[in-house]
Amino acid sequence: MIGEIELSDDLTMPQLDEQHFRSIDRERLRPPALSAHPPRILILYGSLRARSFSRLSAEEAGRILTRLGAEVRFFHPSGLPLVDDGVDASHPKVRELRDLVVWSEGMVWSSPERHGAMTGLMKTQIDWIPLSEGAVRPTQGKTLAVMQVSGGSQSFNAVNQMRLLGRWMRMLTIPNQSSVAKAFLEFDEAGRMKPSAYYDRIVDVMEELVKFTLLTRDSADYLVDRYSERRESAAQLSARVNQSGL
């Protein structure tokens, strides 16, 4: 029939490296023992203003996550240097950030939208997180929720950018997201978010993040185990993902 394609009986694939090609192991998708500790969630925010709505939104997210049984830590980016500005990973703030990333099982990124994009401070934090640090892949397989605040009408530029970065960092970015329009109207004088559909969406996003983290954390290593990377040596892999001089 026109449009139908039938595979031949010949399923030999000379392109494959049979030593590293494996069938899907369903048992590894269902680990026999599930971790009992609270989900470990790291929160990053993208503004140092005294009344930073991305931080206030992040704090509301942290409260919700705590109520949902998660262990929450914040990275406070004040003092974090620019990437390539004459400092290296031994800088105390860089080391603090990277240690928190390794500790975490999931993350929340909360940024203002500035000039139609995430802030430079948000991007700087992400840029300091390596794709690979020795034999450790700090972000691979971790869950991610993205949030943004806007001074004007609702927009999704920042969350869309952060989704791209989450994919690049090989994170499991959850489907839901939060975008708060006219954020200056959504918080009271004490910095707490008023009841609204925007607040309800943050609750939705945090619920989803905790569920996805619990669902995937014990099998994350297997979920992101890749044929192409099994074929590479550790030295080749490190050289590819940590290309110095770029």
Side-chain angles (χ1 to χ4, degrees):
M1 182 180 295
I2 296 176
E4 288 190 354
I5 298 175
E6 293 186 5
L7 294 175
S8 68
D9 293 333
D10 181 8
L11 293 181
T12 60
M13 290 175 279
Q15 310 94 324
L16 277 180
D17 182 341
E18 295 290 350
Q19 180 182 355
H20 296 101
F21 181 72
R22 300 168 187 168
S23 298
I24 302 301
D25 184 347
R26 296 192 179 191
E27 294 305 313
R28 293 190 65 184
L29 293 171
R30 295 185 294 269
L34 298 177
S35 299
H37 64 270
R40 299 193 293 260
I41 307 297
L42 170 63
I43 300 182
L44 308 181
Y45 59 90
S47 170
L48 295 177
R49 296 173 59 191
R51 187 169 167 82
S52 162
F53 296 114
S54 66
R55 176 178 55 78
L56 294 177
S57 298
E59 289 174 354
E60 295 293 354
R63 294 183 183 98
I64 297 163
L65 287 166
T66 301
R67 286 287 302 272
L68 291 170
E71 180 181 357
V72 176
R73 296 184 186 178
F74 286 81
F75 175 71
H76 302 291
S78 179
L80 183 69
L82 294 174
V83 177
D84 300 326
D85 193 21
V87 297
D88 58 26
S90 65
H91 188 283
K93 291 299 291 188
V94 176
R95 191 69 265 156
E96 177 191 353
L97 173 60
R98 291 188 175 190
D99 287 346
L100 284 170
V101 170
V102 171
W103 166 85
S104 70
E105 296 169 328
M107 285 192 244
V108 177
W109 295 349
S110 176
S111 178
E113 180 174 311
R114 187 171 295 163
H115 300 313
M118 78 182 81
T119 60
L121 179 64
M122 192 77 236
K123 184 62 161 57
T124 295
Q125 293 175 80
I126 298 167
D127 283 347
W128 271 121
I129 302 170
L131 286 174
S132 178
E133 191 169 27
V136 177
R137 304 296 292 271
T139 55
Q140 181 165 261
K142 298 180 189 292
T143 53
L144 172 64
V146 293
M147 303 168 53
Q148 76 167 70
V149 296
S150 302
S153 59
Q154 191 171 45
S155 171
F156 302 95
N157 291 319
V159 288
N160 288 339
Q161 283 189 320
M162 289 187 285
R163 282 189 175 279
L164 288 174
L165 287 169
R167 184 178 67 194
W168 188 257
M169 304 298 284
R170 297 181 174 179
M171 303 181 75
L172 304 174
T173 308
I174 66 170
N176 216 336
Q177 62 188 24
S178 165
S179 175
V180 179
K182 297 182 179 179
F184 60 93
L185 297 176
E186 298 301 322
F187 293 84
D188 63 23
E189 291 302 314
R192 296 302 307 273
M193 197 167 183
K194 302 172 186 177
S196 69
Y198 292 132
Y199 180 81
D200 293 349
R201 173 58 66 90
I202 293 177
V203 177
D204 291 347
V205 174
M206 295 308 112
E207 280 185 338
E208 191 170 285
L209 177 65
V210 171
K211 291 174 184 176
F212 272 76
T213 304
L214 291 171
L215 184 66
T216 62
R217 67 179 180 179
D218 292 301
S219 49
D221 288 344
Y222 183 60
L223 289 172
V224 296
D225 180 46
R226 296 175 177 84
Y227 163 76
S228 61
E229 293 177 359
R230 292 195 295 269
R231 294 187 69 233
E232 287 185 295
S233 69
Q236 290 172 323
L237 179 60
S238 180
R240 178 168 60 80
V241 300
N242 292 305
Q243 299 180 58
S244 61
L246 293 183

